[in-house]
Amino acid sequence: MRPSLLLLLLLMGAEIAFGDTHKAVLTLEPNWTQIFVGETISLTCSTEGEDADEDDEAYYCWYKTDKEGGEAREIVQWTKDKSHTISSSVETDSGTYTCKISNDGSYSKSNAISLTVKEGIPRPVLSSDREPVFTGNTVTLRCDMGQSTGWRFYWYRNTQTSDPVAQADGNSYSIISDKVSDGGQYWCRARRGDPVYHTQYSDAVEIKVTVNPKAVATPLSNWTNIFIGETLALRCDIQGEEHNDWQYSWDKNRTSLEYQWQNYTIYFALESHSGDYSCRGTQRRDSQTSEISEAVRVTVSEKPNPVLRGPSQTWLTEGDSVTLSCEVRGSTTGWRFHWYKTAPYSPELVYVLHENRRYYLQLVSDSISGAGGSYTLSPAALRHTGVYVCRAERGEPAYHTEFSQPQPLWVTGLSPPSSVVVSPNTTQHFTLDSLSLSCERSGNSTGWRLMWFSKWTVRDLCPSAWTSETGSTCSRRSASSSDGGVYWCQSESGEKSNPVNITVHNGDVILESPTHPVTEGDPLTLRCRYRYKPSNISADFYKDGTLLQTSTTGEMTIPAVSESHEGVYRCRNPEKGESPESWVTVRVSVSDSGYSKLAVVGAVVGVMIIFIIGTTLSLMYCFKKKKASPGPQTPLPGQQQQNPSHSPDQSLSAGHEASVYDAINTAERYEEDDATAGPSDVTYSTIDQKSTSENVKRKKQKRGGGQPEPEIFYSELKAVKTAGEEEAEQSEPTYAQVIGKKVKGTERV
């Protein structure tokens, strides 16, 4: 091989080896491929590789291809400066740049970099991610410079000349709008490089901050205290906002429920559903959230048993008025109440389980509306006798409470169509004694059945182990305490007799009391009876818990009962024991009551008539006597009697003398009936007037020789008392008739 060819091959290998280990690399500083007119940028050509050391002997050559294309042209010939700086760039500086490195006769060509120089000073574009902004939410401003990089951004509020409110390398700025005043006009501006290159200010963006609307959580019912099994729905609303603009979220005890519907419904409440529920809304268009609602506290309790309240005394008289009330404790809102009476089995009746037994209930027809919590019987009638329960419901679909405890009402009538006959005829009986009950009705008792209530149930059959002779008679040879209860007779049409409360006691002492109401005015006898011989024992008798009487014979009698004697009675012997309580009803007879009222009115009217007639007759009699008197009336003590037609002096000159009153003797009574005339009788006497010359002379001397004035002398009046007049002695007046008699030398007065 020729030597020249061998040298060429060695040089080519050396160049290949240099290119592999000392490849030229072109970089930008800053690394911006897009710049704007007036910016400065530097291109640097360097070698890379593990053994690449900076060689002071290397030379660099720069090439540029215009953006329109064409051949690369050399812009800087071989130089030892590895950087090429473009200062105050212009649009014609745009193009593709490369470099070449020469070292020891070897060459390496760099990669190409395209540089774009845009005309004019750029203006960033400012935008916000939401409008308007609610207080408590965050708004983000974005300052967009297109594809150019390396900028640092500055944010201005209200004026461009103010100091920037923020600066950052990123092009976004977030504002937490705590208050309405955080709103206003915002601008942005960017800069980069060294020397610093500034963009123009962006156009202003108006940020409007409004008060954050508040979510309101509301129960769709008017109650939040609910019970196990009940349904409760809550609704979330945003104040002043349209529903379609929002989606919702719910929290319970500040923990998310991951439920995004406006209505949150608890379909079958459990105690675990108790808690504080709140909600908030999120806007669909920009994800702003409302203010969280106030919490709604939900309490879930056990299924309630309503409380039925009635009169303290369950035994009523026909015509009374009674009101039953039903209440759900701890909850008073939204309830509708229904009232029931226990009834014999019928397939259409509802029932309640109590102590593992079914009791059937009939809805009271006039309580179906049941909007209130009370049920009034006015006036009470025999047909109202029975045992009442109540139940409450509310909501849609209706949620029902349990049934209340029973409330018996026993109504006794004034004239019941039938009656229960008890043998022995007492309300209390010993266990193991015989007992018989039957329905008795004037005429035919067919169709009447004996009804029995014990605890919760009403039966139209005799108690178990009883003998039923007919439907209206039940008897037991050996009674037990379970045979006690309230019995009444009922016809097929629903008519009822007075109820009778029977107690069968397994103790040693009972109180024998009447089974039916006692009529006012009749006697009442209560007996305290001992189970063993002798049955009569000493006992203390109590009424309504108060000791009435202690009897050594074990018997207490009230001669004539009144309404005040109605109440609860019992008896007690300190050694033998105490009887159960029995209620004694006192019935006011309609006829007796009417007669008593008429008698009182008649007596009062009669007394008034007699008084008026007697007074009138007495006055007429007195007037007649006065009119028949021939002389003037006698004046009362202290008064002077004068003749209207004469003066006193004229009378004396006419021969009159002073009037002298002598003893007055009561006229003798001839008829026996007059002695019983009473204290209003009038006794008349005859008074003789006498004249003496001495008196006349004495008067003349006193008057200076003139005619004497008449002088009146009073004497003692004595009335002869007859039988029956003793009591009238102090109060009855005695009238006297004055008869003037003629005296010698005088005229008749």
Side-chain angles (χ1 to χ4, degrees):
M1 182 178 293
R2 290 183 300 178
S4 58
L5 181 60
L6 180 60
L7 180 60
L8 179 61
L9 292 174
L10 290 173
L11 291 173
M12 292 177 62
E15 184 175 356
I16 294 172
F18 180 84
D20 292 338
T21 58
H22 301 281
K23 182 180 179 180
V25 177
L26 182 62
T27 58
L28 285 173
E29 183 62 33
N31 188 23
W32 306 329
T33 59
Q34 184 184 77
I35 61 175
F36 296 90
V37 172
E39 283 192 278
T40 298
I41 194 166
S42 296
L43 293 92
T44 301
C45 192
S46 60
T47 59
E48 69 174 6
E50 296 180 1
D51 299 328
D53 294 327
E54 187 174 351
D55 191 350
D56 293 338
E57 299 299 325
Y59 288 86
Y60 303 90
C61 186
W62 297 92
Y63 299 88
K64 175 190 174 192
T65 302
D66 294 333
K67 62 180 180 179
E68 291 83 5
E71 294 291 333
R73 60 184 179 86
E74 185 177 326
I75 57 172
V76 178
Q77 295 183 349
W78 296 101
T79 178
K80 295 185 71 68
D81 189 358
K82 67 176 183 178
S83 296
H84 175 63
T85 299
I86 302 173
S87 300
S88 300
S89 61
V90 294
E91 190 175 1
T92 57
D93 290 330
S94 298
T96 301
Y97 291 83
T98 59
C99 70
K100 185 181 288 187
I101 300 176
S102 174
N103 190 358
D104 296 334
S106 61
Y107 298 92
S108 177
K109 189 178 181 180
S110 73
N111 56 296
I113 292 179
S114 294
L115 180 65
T116 302
V117 180
K118 300 188 72 173
E119 184 180 7
I121 301 174
R123 182 188 298 273
V125 177
L126 180 62
S127 61
S128 68
D129 63 348
R130 54 189 53 161
E131 176 66 26
V133 185
F134 297 132
T135 55
N137 284 268
T138 300
V139 58
T140 299
L141 301 177
R142 186 177 300 278
C143 195
D144 191 7
M145 288 297 297
Q147 296 180 354
S148 61
T149 59
W151 299 96
R152 185 167 182 80
F153 296 89
Y154 295 81
W155 307 90
Y156 302 85
R157 176 172 175 262
N158 293 333
T159 62
Q160 297 176 355
T161 58
S162 62
D163 292 333
V165 293
Q167 54 180 299
D169 293 333
N171 69 336
S172 63
Y173 170 54
S174 295
I175 304 169
I176 300 176
S177 54
D178 292 330
K179 49 189 180 297
V180 174
S181 60
D182 289 334
Q185 285 189 322
Y186 285 82
W187 294 266
C188 72
R189 189 184 189 191
R191 71 181 184 181
R192 68 180 179 181
D194 186 16
V196 175
Y197 177 84
H198 289 91
T199 68
Q200 298 185 63
Y201 286 97
S202 69
D203 292 332
V205 170
E206 182 77 23
I207 301 299
K208 183 180 180 181
V209 180
T210 60
V211 176
N212 192 11
K214 186 172 184 177
V216 179
T218 308
L220 294 184
S221 57
N222 293 327
W223 54 86
T224 56
N225 292 337
I226 61 175
F227 301 92
I228 291 178
E230 198 168 2
T231 298
L232 178 66
L234 303 174
R235 178 184 177 91
C236 189
D237 291 291
I238 310 300
Q239 291 179 337
E241 297 291 322
E242 293 291 335
H243 159 66
N244 294 332
D245 294 338
W246 297 83
Q247 60 185 13
Y248 304 88
S249 59
W250 289 88
D251 296 341
K252 176 192 172 188
N253 299 331
R254 299 184 179 181
T255 301
S256 176
L257 293 173
E258 298 182 359
Y259 189 87
Q260 297 183 347
W261 300 100
Q262 185 178 18
N263 289 358
Y264 180 76
T265 303
I266 302 172
Y267 288 99
F268 191 93
L270 301 173
E271 289 188 5
S272 59
H273 287 114
S274 297
D276 294 332
Y277 289 80
S278 57
C279 70
R280 72 170 72 233
T282 303
Q283 273 199 330
R284 298 180 187 275
R285 67 175 182 269
D286 56 16
S287 300
Q288 288 194 85
T289 57
S290 70
E291 186 178 345
I292 193 168
S293 71
E294 298 291 339
V296 174
R297 175 155 295 180
V298 174
T299 303
V300 182
S301 308
E302 291 286 342
K303 193 170 185 178
N305 288 85
V307 178
L308 192 158
R309 291 187 175 89
S312 58
Q313 179 47 244
T314 59
W315 289 83
L316 309 172
T317 302
E318 191 173 25
D320 290 348
S321 177
V322 62
T323 297
L324 305 177
S325 65
C326 193
E327 175 189 355
V328 179
R329 284 182 176 172
S331 177
T332 59
T333 307
W335 295 105
R336 302 180 297 274
F337 296 88
H338 299 292
W339 296 87
Y340 300 81
K341 270 204 312 184
T342 54
Y345 166 76
S346 182
E348 72 275 5
L349 298 181
V350 297
Y351 67 89
V352 59
L353 287 174
H354 183 70
E355 297 180 355
N356 297 323
R357 294 183 61 184
R358 286 188 178 186
Y359 301 98
Y360 292 90
L361 304 172
Q362 183 176 21
L363 184 67
V364 181
S365 60
D366 50 359
S367 72
I368 294 176
S369 59
S374 63
Y375 177 54
T376 300
L377 301 175
S378 182
L382 286 175
R383 60 185 174 85
H384 293 131
T385 286
V387 180
Y388 292 80
V389 296
C390 68
R391 183 170 69 165
E393 68 172 37
R394 70 179 179 184
E396 293 295 339
Y399 172 80
H400 293 91
T401 67
E402 303 287 2
F403 287 95
S404 71
Q405 81 281 7
Q407 172 66 50
L409 291 179
W410 313 115
V411 182
T412 59
L414 301 177
S415 301
S418 178
S419 62
V420 179
V421 177
V422 183
S423 180
N425 186 21
T426 180
T427 58
Q428 295 185 16
H429 303 264
F430 288 119
T431 54
L432 305 181
D433 284 358
S434 61
L435 177 61
S436 175
L437 297 98
S438 61
C439 293
E440 184 179 87
R441 183 174 184 268
S442 58
N444 190 357
S445 61
T446 304
W448 288 80
R449 299 188 64 84
L450 189 66
M451 307 293 289
W452 175 49
F453 172 80
S454 178
K455 294 184 179 178
W456 263 73
T457 187
V458 174
R459 304 178 187 177
D460 58 356
L461 300 174
C462 292
S464 59
W466 284 52
T467 301
S468 177
E469 301 175 7
T470 64
S472 59
T473 302
C474 295
S475 59
R476 180 77 184 271
R477 292 184 178 179
S478 180
S480 66
S481 58
S482 61
D483 295 329
V486 178
Y487 293 81
W488 70 92
C489 296
Q490 184 168 319
S491 69
E492 295 176 350
S493 61
E495 292 182 285
K496 296 179 181 179
S497 70
N498 286 341
V500 174
N501 188 18
I502 299 298
T503 300
V504 180
H505 186 44
N506 58 4
D508 293 336
V509 177
I510 61 172
L511 177 68
E512 292 184 345
S513 61
T515 56
H516 294 288
V518 183
T519 302
E520 190 175 26
D522 289 352
L524 169 63
T525 298
L526 303 176
R527 295 181 180 87
C528 198
R529 181 182 165 200
Y530 184 50
R531 179 187 290 269
Y532 306 104
K533 301 296 184 181
S535 60
N536 293 332
I537 55 174
S538 61
D540 298 327
F541 289 87
Y542 296 83
K543 175 183 178 291
D544 299 328
T546 302
L547 178 64
L548 285 183
Q549 179 180 324
T550 298
S551 172
T552 57
T553 62
E555 185 175 295
M556 182 185 78
T557 299
I558 301 174
V561 297
S562 63
E563 288 186 82
S564 62
H565 293 114
E566 189 172 80
V568 177
Y569 290 82
R570 64 182 173 90
C571 68
R572 177 179 177 274
N573 181 282
E575 298 176 356
K576 309 299 183 182
E578 183 176 328
S579 74
E581 293 181 337
S582 283
W583 174 262
V584 174
T585 301
V586 177
R587 178 174 57 194
V588 179
S589 174
V590 176
S591 59
D592 291 347
S593 176
Y595 175 80
S596 299
K597 293 179 180 178
L598 290 175
V600 172
V601 173
V604 173
V605 173
V607 169
M608 292 179 65
I609 292 174
I610 293 173
F611 175 78
I612 293 171
I613 293 174
T615 304
T616 303
L617 291 176
S618 299
L619 293 175
M620 291 177 64
Y621 187 77
C622 293
F623 178 75
K624 183 178 180 182
K625 285 291 186 180
K626 293 178 182 180
K627 189 175 181 181
S629 174
Q633 297 294 323
T634 304
L636 295 176
Q639 294 181 344
Q640 188 175 357
Q641 178 69 32
Q642 294 182 358
N643 189 334
S645 59
H646 299 86
S647 65
D649 294 339
Q650 291 174 337
S651 300
L652 291 174
S653 62
H656 286 261
E657 296 182 356
S659 298
V660 180
Y661 293 88
D662 204 350
I664 299 176
N665 297 322
T666 305
E668 189 175 358
R669 300 186 179 183
Y670 300 101
E671 295 182 8
E672 184 177 354
D673 292 338
D674 292 339
T676 61
S680 62
D681 289 347
V682 180
T683 303
Y684 292 88
S685 296
T686 301
I687 300 177
D688 294 336
Q689 183 179 4
K690 298 181 180 180
S691 178
T692 60
S693 58
E694 291 295 328
N695 289 338
V696 175
K697 292 177 181 179
R698 199 177 297 120
K699 290 294 182 180
K700 286 182 178 181
Q701 292 174 358
K702 288 184 179 181
R703 296 181 60 187
Q707 294 181 352
E709 293 183 356
E711 186 173 354
I712 300 173
F713 293 88
Y714 294 91
S715 180
E716 183 181 3
L717 305 180
K718 296 182 180 180
V720 180
K721 289 180 284 187
T722 60
E725 290 183 307
E726 296 289 343
E727 295 180 357
E729 179 182 0
Q730 299 297 327
S731 60
E732 294 305 318
T734 301
Y735 294 89
Q737 183 178 7
V738 180
I739 301 175
K741 292 185 178 181
K742 204 170 185 180
V743 185
K744 184 177 180 180
T746 64
E747 295 181 355
R748 175 80 179 268
V749 179

